[in-house]
Amino acid sequence: LINPISQPAVGERIRPAFPLGAAIVGGFASAVALWSVWFITHLPWLGLRESIATPITFVGWAAALFVFGRSLGLRQTSEGRWNEAIPGVIGAGVLSALLGLLMLGSKLTEAPPHTFAEGTARVSIKPNAALIALGFVALGAVVGLVFGGLGALVRGVRTAEDGSIAEQPWLARMGLVVVVAAAPLLVIGGLVTSSNAGMAVPDWPNTYGTNMFLYPLGPHAQAEMGPEYPKIFLEHTHRLFGSLLGLASLTLMGWTIAATRRGKVGKAVQYWAIAAFILVCVQGILGGMRVRMGDVAFENDSHMLRMLHGVLAQIIFGLLVVVAVMLSNAYATFWDTQAHKVRTLPEFPWRRAKALTNGALHVLLLQLLLGAAYRHMRHDHILYTHIAFSLVAVTMAGLGGAIAAGAPAGAGPLARSLSRAGVLAAAVGILQFALGWLAWLGGGKGPEPETVGQALLRTAHQANGAALLAIVVWAAVASRPMAKAIGPKRKGPAPAAGVPAPS
């Protein structure tokens, strides 16, 4: 999606400085990995003991910091002084630990003996909670230094003279990290709907009367909460992952605004970043309203709020993809380095690629509405309309993907990005069509799944649909500047190769 290499002149000195951008990106990326592994290892259906789940979670965290350190490598000035790598990996470890405290809060309290039907629970904080929290942050610094530093050592020393040092576009990478942070939230939200667990926690913003960042989860709590714990786990972790996305999108928005004021990025992308953050906040409020105005009984629940909450989640995902594509180096440098190459390749249907990818996007949005309406209302006529319209959706995704996939690599990085998006759109579109039929045949018909397998099948269809929508957004955004570079369609012969289109 991005080309992160922007080479300095040979022999250029690298100014020693704390790599704040690198630490922020590495910290959020490692936190997403930490949270995701924690969620998987603590799934109630797996039944893993803490003695097993905790080491696996730690390995996932360490692996994420190792990968980050390896991507950073050891930086060295011409005088031989190292910079960036060591403070960068330590900063990433500390930030990921601070973000992890939002999840670690469940370990800082005693598990209350209560069930879903009993309402408010009184949770007591452990006497050594503050010490545990400080120790976890210190552990983050150590894990970052050891495993992040090991990754940097594996990558080796990078100098300006060997041509491997790059000015890392950390803001662009942050855009990608925020997209990745939204992905598990969408999956967990899909599990909440597929399991009919949206009202498992009856209050908001607290959880059973307790600050949601301190509500206990895990095997030590599961034994005290009865058979409704799996639903409580899904709904509560959905809220926690929402808070992580909120912090990530807030950081991205502030960073983008600051970069715009320094003239590093265009003004348009900051408006998209602001819109995405605002909608993330709106989404959180909608989720709270859905709980406060909802009902445990499906027939009495707030179906419109449920549907709106589900649809807006995928729209936000698409907006975050827009920001990530616009921040990418391929997109940002298009008019300076690639537009002339596009004009020399007028035989490729650039305008058709834009038209079909944008057409596929609009069709998928309509299909999203139909799918969400059925998931949250369970009316048969909506289901059959959704099934029939899926033929249109898969056809448009296939056509748009096929045209985009043929974008010539010689036109530059953005064209190659468009081609990759086209291949993925066609492949994921076919997979989505197959998952839809599988969900219809084996996913169950009622709001409450009969088995865990049915819930997973429903969620797979929903999550893959979100991925398809995001990929088509990627293709639609990437195609726009290339179609614009060709200029409006004119009558008469095309301009000779190498001659720019008239403005």
Side-chain angles (χ1 to χ4, degrees), residues 24 203 222 226 264 293 298 320 330 338 371 431-432 465 467 472 483 493:
I24 291 174
D203 53 342
Q222 182 174 356
K264 300 294 185 180
M293 300 173 64
F298 177 80
L320 293 174
Q338 304 166 59
L431 177 60
Q432 179 67 358
V472 172

Side-chain angles (χ1 to χ4, degrees), residues 63-315:
L65 286 165
F66 175 86
V67 171
F68 167 68
R70 192 177 186 281
S71 71
L72 188 61
L74 290 176
R75 305 282 180 109
Q76 192 174 34
T77 65
S78 57
E79 290 84 6
R81 295 190 214 120
W82 288 348
N83 68 355
E84 278 201 14
I86 300 305
V89 294
I90 293 176
V94 170
L95 178 57
S96 62
L98 288 171
L99 294 170
L101 286 176
L102 301 178
M103 187 74 77
L104 184 69
S106 66
K107 309 292 186 183
L108 304 181
T109 55
E110 304 289 351
H114 80 103
T115 65
F116 172 71
E118 292 174 348
T120 301
R122 298 300 176 187
V123 176
S124 59
I125 299 177
K126 294 179 179 179
N128 58 345
L131 185 61
I132 294 174
L134 288 174
F136 187 69
V137 175
L139 177 64
V142 174
V143 173
L145 175 61
V146 173
F147 291 95
L150 180 61
L153 283 171
V154 169
R155 178 64 179 266
V157 175
R158 305 167 67 192
T159 65
E161 285 74 14
D162 65 17
S164 64
I165 283 291
E167 180 188 349
Q168 304 285 0
W170 293 113
L171 176 55
R173 293 188 174 191
M174 186 63 191
L176 290 176
V177 169
V178 177
V179 171
V180 173
L185 179 60
L186 276 170
V187 173
I188 298 171
L191 282 171
V192 169
T193 300
S194 299
S195 303
N196 197 29
M199 289 300 298
V201 179
D203 53 342
W204 181 87
N206 290 330
T207 297
Y208 284 99
T210 299
N211 184 302
M212 73 173 184
F213 299 114
L214 296 176
Y215 188 79
L217 289 176
H220 70 292
Q222 182 174 356
E224 303 291 340
M225 295 187 191
E228 292 294 332
Y229 174 76
K231 290 186 176 182
I232 296 173
F233 175 85
L234 290 178
E235 170 61 15
H236 181 67
T237 53
H238 181 56
R239 298 181 181 188
L240 294 179
F241 272 83
S243 66
L244 179 62
L245 179 61
L247 290 173
S249 59
L250 173 62
T251 303
L252 179 64
M253 179 189 70
W255 196 347
T256 304
I257 293 174
T260 302
R261 291 180 177 177
R262 296 196 306 269
K264 300 294 185 180
V265 298
K267 289 185 177 180
V269 68
Q270 75 169 341
Y271 300 133
W272 286 103
I274 292 171
F277 172 70
I278 290 174
L279 287 181
V280 167
C281 296
V282 171
Q283 178 74 340
I285 295 172
L286 277 177
M289 292 175 59
R290 177 258 182 281
V291 169
R292 286 175 173 266
M293 300 173 64
D295 195 286
V296 176
F298 177 80
E299 59 275 9
N300 299 326
D301 205 357
S302 51
H303 299 291
M304 288 304 298
L305 278 177
R306 286 170 53 130
M307 175 182 166
L308 182 59
H309 188 60
V311 170
L312 185 57
Q314 298 204 27
I315 291 175

